[in-house]
């Protein structure tokens, strides 16, 4: 399986994350959590302790992805460093509780989705910023090929505005053992 992530980087991430888990909870409990949760058991706080002490950032910015992002926010909060989580889509199927001080979202519905899925945060910590990936939709100024539309989409009125949204699966459940 080609994820686009170099093999060496994958091995380093898995190794460091598992080592961190053993250091914090012991080898036996780490094995149990790995067997039960797989990579979702990772929470490499010791690694981020070192990073925060060395870099002393003013703010930690993460996405809503699990594991390292969650650990970075938890450690930053321990050091009183400001945190921001960018939720890039609609807040569905997020994989961990979002605990950053500030949360940017695509739209108002994302806030509702997150709150309905257990993100118990007051409205004022959310900022609707959109998603830059969608900005190019509004910049298109080219001519519409009306003949193409009429031929391939005959049920849509030729002059009606239409936006094509091509999306991919945002969350993959990959079995790491099958990858390597």
């Amino acid at each position: 399986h080609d994820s686009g992530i170099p093999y060496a980087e994958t091995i380093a991430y898995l190794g460091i994350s598992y080592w961190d888990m053993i250091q914090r909870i012991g080898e036996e409990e780490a094995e149990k959590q790995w067997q039960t949760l797989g990579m979702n058991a990772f929470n490499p706080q010791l690694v981020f302790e070192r990073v925060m002490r060395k870099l002393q950032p003013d703010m930690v910015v993460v996405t809503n992805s699990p594991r390292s992002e969650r650990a970075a926010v938890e450690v930053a909060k321990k050091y009183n460093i400001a945190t921001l989580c960018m939720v890039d889509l609609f807040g569905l199927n997020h994989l961990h509780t979002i605990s950053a001080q500030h949360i940017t979202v695509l739209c108002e519905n994302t806030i509702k989705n997150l709150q309905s899925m257990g993100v118990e945060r007051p409205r004022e910590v959310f900022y609707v910023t959109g998603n830059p990936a969608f900005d190019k939709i509004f910049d298109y100024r080219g001519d519409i090929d009306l003949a193409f539309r009429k031929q391939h989409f005959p049920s849509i009125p030729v002059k009606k505005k239409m936006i094509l949204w091509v999306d991919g699966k945002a969350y993959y459940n990959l079995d790491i053992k099958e990858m390597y």
Side-chain angles (χ1 to χ4, degrees):
H1 174 56
D2 184 18
S3 67
I5 299 170
Y7 180 76
E9 191 174 317
T10 299
I11 296 302
Y13 169 75
L14 293 172
I16 289 169
S17 296
Y18 198 82
W19 170 86
D20 186 285
M21 194 164 53
I22 290 171
Q23 299 306 306
R24 286 184 300 102
I25 62 175
E27 199 166 334
E28 189 175 311
E29 185 60 27
E31 176 63 21
K32 282 182 196 172
Q33 287 193 17
W34 171 255
Q35 291 301 322
T36 305
L37 302 170
M39 289 191 304
N40 287 327
F42 292 162
N43 189 6
Q45 292 185 22
L46 297 175
V47 172
F48 282 106
E49 290 268 351
R50 291 175 63 192
V51 170
M52 300 298 170
R53 281 195 308 268
K54 178 136 178 104
L55 299 179
Q56 299 178 356
D58 295 315
M59 177 177 261
V60 171
V61 179
V62 299
T63 67
N64 57 312
S65 297
R67 299 179 295 271
S68 291
E69 288 84 346
R70 178 184 66 202
V73 168
E74 288 175 13
V75 172
K77 289 167 75 175
K78 204 161 113 177
Y79 285 96
N80 294 316
I81 298 169
T83 56
L84 169 74
C85 178
M86 299 182 300
V87 178
D88 58 350
L89 293 173
F90 299 101
L92 301 170
N93 302 321
H94 67 283
L95 303 172
H96 68 90
T97 300
I98 298 170
S99 62
Q101 291 170 302
H102 308 282
I103 304 168
T104 63
V105 295
L106 175 68
C107 59
E108 287 292 332
N109 279 344
T110 302
I111 298 169
K112 291 176 189 167
N113 292 338
L114 288 169
Q115 289 174 333
S116 73
M117 295 182 78
V119 177
E120 297 177 10
R121 306 299 306 283
R123 172 62 181 87
E124 58 268 10
V125 306
F126 292 95
Y127 306 89
V128 177
T129 58
N131 181 326
F134 297 115
D135 289 351
K136 289 188 179 199
I137 290 172
F138 301 106
D139 290 340
Y140 180 75
R141 300 285 187 263
D143 294 330
I144 297 170
D145 185 344
L146 300 177
F148 177 88
R149 183 183 289 185
K150 186 175 182 179
Q151 177 186 353
H152 297 284
F153 301 98
S155 64
I156 299 172
V158 175
K159 296 282 184 178
K160 187 173 184 174
K161 289 185 179 181
M162 179 173 60
I163 294 176
L164 172 63
W165 177 5
V166 179
D167 192 16
K169 212 172 183 185
Y171 303 97
Y172 292 96
N173 185 8
L174 300 175
D175 184 350
I176 194 70
K177 293 170 192 153
E178 288 181 11
M179 290 175 62
Y180 302 105

